[in-house]
Short mmCIF file of all heavy atoms in Angstrom, two decimals:
data_model
loop_
_atom_site.label_atom_id
_atom_site.label_comp_id
_atom_site.label_asym_id
_atom_site.label_seq_id
_atom_site.Cartn_x
_atom_site.Cartn_y
_atom_site.Cartn_z
N GLU I 1 -143.14 103.91 -59.54
CA GLU I 1 -142.65 104.81 -60.60
C GLU I 1 -141.26 105.32 -60.26
O GLU I 1 -140.40 105.46 -61.17
CB GLU I 1 -143.62 105.99 -60.76
CG GLU I 1 -144.92 105.65 -61.43
CD GLU I 1 -145.76 106.89 -61.65
OE1 GLU I 1 -145.18 108.02 -61.84
OE2 GLU I 1 -147.02 106.77 -61.66
N GLU I 2 -141.00 105.64 -59.02
CA GLU I 2 -139.68 106.11 -58.66
C GLU I 2 -138.61 105.04 -58.85
O GLU I 2 -137.49 105.34 -59.28
CB GLU I 2 -139.68 106.65 -57.22
CG GLU I 2 -140.54 107.86 -56.99
CD GLU I 2 -140.24 108.96 -58.00
OE1 GLU I 2 -139.09 109.42 -58.05
OE2 GLU I 2 -141.14 109.38 -58.75
N LEU I 3 -138.94 103.82 -58.56
CA LEU I 3 -137.99 102.72 -58.76
C LEU I 3 -137.67 102.53 -60.26
O LEU I 3 -136.57 102.09 -60.63
CB LEU I 3 -138.53 101.42 -58.20
CG LEU I 3 -138.57 101.36 -56.67
CD1 LEU I 3 -139.33 100.15 -56.19
CD2 LEU I 3 -137.16 101.35 -56.08
N GLU I 4 -138.61 102.91 -61.12
CA GLU I 4 -138.40 102.79 -62.55
C GLU I 4 -137.71 104.00 -63.17
O GLU I 4 -137.11 103.89 -64.24
CB GLU I 4 -139.75 102.60 -63.26
CG GLU I 4 -140.41 101.26 -63.03
CD GLU I 4 -141.71 101.15 -63.81
OE1 GLU I 4 -142.30 102.19 -64.18
OE2 GLU I 4 -142.12 99.99 -64.06
N THR I 5 -137.80 105.19 -62.53
CA THR I 5 -137.40 106.43 -63.20
C THR I 5 -136.44 107.32 -62.44
O THR I 5 -135.81 108.18 -63.05
CB THR I 5 -138.64 107.26 -63.53
OG1 THR I 5 -139.35 107.61 -62.31
CG2 THR I 5 -139.62 106.50 -64.47
N ASN I 6 -136.33 107.15 -61.16
CA ASN I 6 -135.53 108.06 -60.33
C ASN I 6 -134.09 107.56 -60.28
O ASN I 6 -133.81 106.48 -59.73
CB ASN I 6 -136.13 108.12 -58.93
CG ASN I 6 -135.49 109.19 -58.06
OD1 ASN I 6 -134.30 109.45 -58.13
ND2 ASN I 6 -136.28 109.82 -57.22
N PRO I 7 -133.12 108.34 -60.80
CA PRO I 7 -131.73 107.81 -60.85
C PRO I 7 -131.15 107.49 -59.46
O PRO I 7 -130.30 106.63 -59.34
CB PRO I 7 -130.98 108.93 -61.54
CG PRO I 7 -131.81 110.14 -61.41
CD PRO I 7 -133.22 109.67 -61.38
N PHE I 8 -131.63 108.18 -58.44
CA PHE I 8 -131.10 107.95 -57.11
C PHE I 8 -131.65 106.68 -56.49
O PHE I 8 -131.12 106.20 -55.47
CB PHE I 8 -131.42 109.16 -56.22
CG PHE I 8 -130.74 110.43 -56.66
CD1 PHE I 8 -131.45 111.34 -57.46
CD2 PHE I 8 -129.43 110.68 -56.36
CE1 PHE I 8 -130.83 112.48 -57.90
CE2 PHE I 8 -128.79 111.84 -56.82
CZ PHE I 8 -129.50 112.75 -57.59
N MET I 9 -132.66 106.10 -57.10
CA MET I 9 -133.19 104.82 -56.66
C MET I 9 -132.89 103.70 -57.68
O MET I 9 -133.39 102.58 -57.58
CB MET I 9 -134.69 104.93 -56.43
CG MET I 9 -135.04 105.91 -55.33
SD MET I 9 -136.81 105.96 -54.90
CE MET I 9 -136.97 104.54 -53.86
N ARG I 10 -131.98 104.03 -58.62
CA ARG I 10 -131.57 103.05 -59.64
C ARG I 10 -130.06 102.86 -59.65
O ARG I 10 -129.45 102.58 -60.67
CB ARG I 10 -132.08 103.52 -61.00
CG ARG I 10 -133.60 103.45 -61.13
CD ARG I 10 -134.13 104.08 -62.42
NE ARG I 10 -133.48 103.59 -63.63
CZ ARG I 10 -133.75 102.41 -64.20
NH1 ARG I 10 -134.63 101.57 -63.64
NH2 ARG I 10 -133.14 102.05 -65.29
N VAL I 11 -129.49 102.99 -58.45
CA VAL I 11 -128.02 103.00 -58.36
C VAL I 11 -127.41 101.63 -58.59
O VAL I 11 -126.19 101.51 -58.70
CB VAL I 11 -127.59 103.57 -56.99
CG1 VAL I 11 -127.92 105.05 -56.91
CG2 VAL I 11 -128.26 102.81 -55.83
N ASP I 12 -128.25 100.59 -58.66
CA ASP I 12 -127.77 99.25 -58.97
C ASP I 12 -127.91 98.90 -60.45
O ASP I 12 -127.59 97.79 -60.85
CB ASP I 12 -128.51 98.23 -58.14
CG ASP I 12 -130.03 98.23 -58.38
OD1 ASP I 12 -130.54 99.23 -58.95
OD2 ASP I 12 -130.70 97.25 -58.01
N GLN I 13 -128.33 99.85 -61.23
CA GLN I 13 -128.61 99.58 -62.67
C GLN I 13 -127.39 99.89 -63.53
O GLN I 13 -126.68 100.89 -63.29
CB GLN I 13 -129.80 100.41 -63.12
CG GLN I 13 -131.11 100.07 -62.47
CD GLN I 13 -131.52 98.63 -62.75
OE1 GLN I 13 -131.58 98.20 -63.92
NE2 GLN I 13 -131.76 97.87 -61.68
N PRO I 14 -127.13 99.06 -64.54
CA PRO I 14 -125.94 99.25 -65.40
C PRO I 14 -125.87 100.63 -66.00
O PRO I 14 -124.74 101.19 -66.13
CB PRO I 14 -126.11 98.17 -66.48
CG PRO I 14 -126.91 97.11 -65.79
CD PRO I 14 -127.87 97.81 -64.88
N ALA I 15 -126.98 101.22 -66.38
CA ALA I 15 -126.93 102.55 -67.03
C ALA I 15 -126.35 103.61 -66.08
O ALA I 15 -125.54 104.45 -66.50
CB ALA I 15 -128.33 102.97 -67.48
N LEU I 16 -126.73 103.55 -64.81
CA LEU I 16 -126.23 104.51 -63.86
C LEU I 16 -124.80 104.22 -63.50
O LEU I 16 -123.99 105.14 -63.26
CB LEU I 16 -127.13 104.50 -62.59
CG LEU I 16 -128.37 105.39 -62.63
CD1 LEU I 16 -128.03 106.87 -62.78
CD2 LEU I 16 -129.36 104.95 -63.69
N GLN I 17 -124.42 102.96 -63.42
CA GLN I 17 -123.04 102.59 -63.15
C GLN I 17 -122.15 103.04 -64.30
O GLN I 17 -121.07 103.55 -64.08
CB GLN I 17 -122.96 101.08 -62.93
CG GLN I 17 -123.69 100.63 -61.70
CD GLN I 17 -123.72 99.12 -61.53
OE1 GLN I 17 -123.39 98.38 -62.45
NE2 GLN I 17 -124.15 98.65 -60.35
N LYS I 18 -122.62 102.93 -65.52
CA LYS I 18 -121.85 103.38 -66.67
C LYS I 18 -121.71 104.88 -66.68
O LYS I 18 -120.62 105.41 -66.92
CB LYS I 18 -122.53 102.91 -67.95
CG LYS I 18 -121.78 103.33 -69.23
CD LYS I 18 -122.47 102.79 -70.46
CE LYS I 18 -121.72 103.22 -71.74
NZ LYS I 18 -122.40 102.73 -72.98
N ALA I 19 -122.78 105.58 -66.36
CA ALA I 19 -122.75 107.06 -66.36
C ALA I 19 -121.80 107.61 -65.33
O ALA I 19 -121.22 108.70 -65.51
CB ALA I 19 -124.16 107.60 -66.14
N THR I 20 -121.61 106.90 -64.21
CA THR I 20 -120.79 107.39 -63.11
C THR I 20 -119.42 106.77 -63.07
O THR I 20 -118.52 107.30 -62.36
CB THR I 20 -121.48 107.14 -61.77
OG1 THR I 20 -121.72 105.72 -61.62
CG2 THR I 20 -122.81 107.88 -61.68
N GLY I 21 -119.21 105.64 -63.73
CA GLY I 21 -117.96 104.94 -63.63
C GLY I 21 -117.78 104.25 -62.28
O GLY I 21 -116.64 103.91 -61.90
N GLN I 22 -118.87 104.06 -61.57
CA GLN I 22 -118.85 103.38 -60.25
C GLN I 22 -119.75 102.16 -60.28
O GLN I 22 -120.66 102.08 -61.09
CB GLN I 22 -119.33 104.35 -59.16
CG GLN I 22 -118.55 105.65 -59.08
CD GLN I 22 -117.15 105.48 -58.49
OE1 GLN I 22 -116.90 104.50 -57.75
NE2 GLN I 22 -116.27 106.44 -58.77
N THR I 23 -119.48 101.22 -59.36
CA THR I 23 -120.35 100.07 -59.23
C THR I 23 -120.96 99.92 -57.84
O THR I 23 -122.07 99.40 -57.70
CB THR I 23 -119.57 98.77 -59.54
OG1 THR I 23 -118.43 98.68 -58.70
CG2 THR I 23 -119.15 98.74 -61.00
N ASP I 24 -120.27 100.41 -56.80
CA ASP I 24 -120.84 100.38 -55.47
C ASP I 24 -122.04 101.35 -55.40
O ASP I 24 -121.91 102.50 -55.80
CB ASP I 24 -119.80 100.83 -54.44
CG ASP I 24 -120.37 100.89 -53.04
OD1 ASP I 24 -120.54 99.83 -52.46
OD2 ASP I 24 -120.66 102.01 -52.60
N PRO I 25 -123.20 100.89 -54.94
CA PRO I 25 -124.38 101.73 -54.97
C PRO I 25 -124.22 103.09 -54.28
O PRO I 25 -124.74 104.10 -54.76
CB PRO I 25 -125.44 100.87 -54.26
CG PRO I 25 -124.99 99.47 -54.48
CD PRO I 25 -123.48 99.52 -54.47
N VAL I 26 -123.51 103.10 -53.16
CA VAL I 26 -123.34 104.38 -52.43
C VAL I 26 -122.45 105.33 -53.26
O VAL I 26 -122.73 106.53 -53.33
CB VAL I 26 -122.73 104.14 -51.05
CG1 VAL I 26 -122.41 105.46 -50.35
CG2 VAL I 26 -123.66 103.28 -50.19
N GLN I 27 -121.45 104.78 -53.89
CA GLN I 27 -120.56 105.62 -54.72
C GLN I 27 -121.31 106.11 -55.99
O GLN I 27 -121.10 107.22 -56.45
CB GLN I 27 -119.34 104.86 -55.11
CG GLN I 27 -118.43 104.54 -53.92
CD GLN I 27 -118.05 105.78 -53.13
OE1 GLN I 27 -117.67 106.79 -53.69
NE2 GLN I 27 -118.13 105.69 -51.82
N VAL I 28 -122.18 105.26 -56.52
CA VAL I 28 -123.01 105.68 -57.65
C VAL I 28 -123.90 106.86 -57.22
O VAL I 28 -123.97 107.90 -57.92
CB VAL I 28 -123.88 104.54 -58.19
CG1 VAL I 28 -124.83 105.04 -59.27
CG2 VAL I 28 -122.98 103.43 -58.77
N LEU I 29 -124.56 106.70 -56.07
CA LEU I 29 -125.44 107.80 -55.60
C LEU I 29 -124.63 109.07 -55.38
O LEU I 29 -125.08 110.16 -55.78
CB LEU I 29 -126.16 107.38 -54.33
CG LEU I 29 -127.22 108.37 -53.83
CD1 LEU I 29 -128.39 107.61 -53.17
CD2 LEU I 29 -126.68 109.39 -52.84
N ALA I 30 -123.46 108.95 -54.76
CA ALA I 30 -122.66 110.13 -54.51
C ALA I 30 -122.28 110.81 -55.79
O ALA I 30 -122.31 112.06 -55.90
CB ALA I 30 -121.39 109.73 -53.74
N ALA I 31 -121.90 110.03 -56.82
CA ALA I 31 -121.52 110.60 -58.11
C ALA I 31 -122.69 111.27 -58.79
O ALA I 31 -122.59 112.38 -59.36
CB ALA I 31 -120.91 109.53 -58.99
#
């Protein structure tokens, strides 16, 4: 469930990359 719903575990997903303007997973998490 966390892999499907937790934004901090979805840092490789396009939606999170778009929301943060980042593509590197660590930078997405930081943002």
Side-chain angles (χ1 to χ4, degrees):
E1 287 185 30
E2 294 308 302
L3 289 169
E4 290 183 337
T5 61
N6 189 324
F8 297 96
M9 298 185 80
R10 290 173 52 78
V11 293
D12 59 344
Q13 295 298 306
L16 275 298
Q17 295 174 349
K18 181 178 179 181
T20 58
Q22 303 288 337
T23 55
D24 176 77
V26 175
Q27 295 305 314
V28 173
L29 187 146

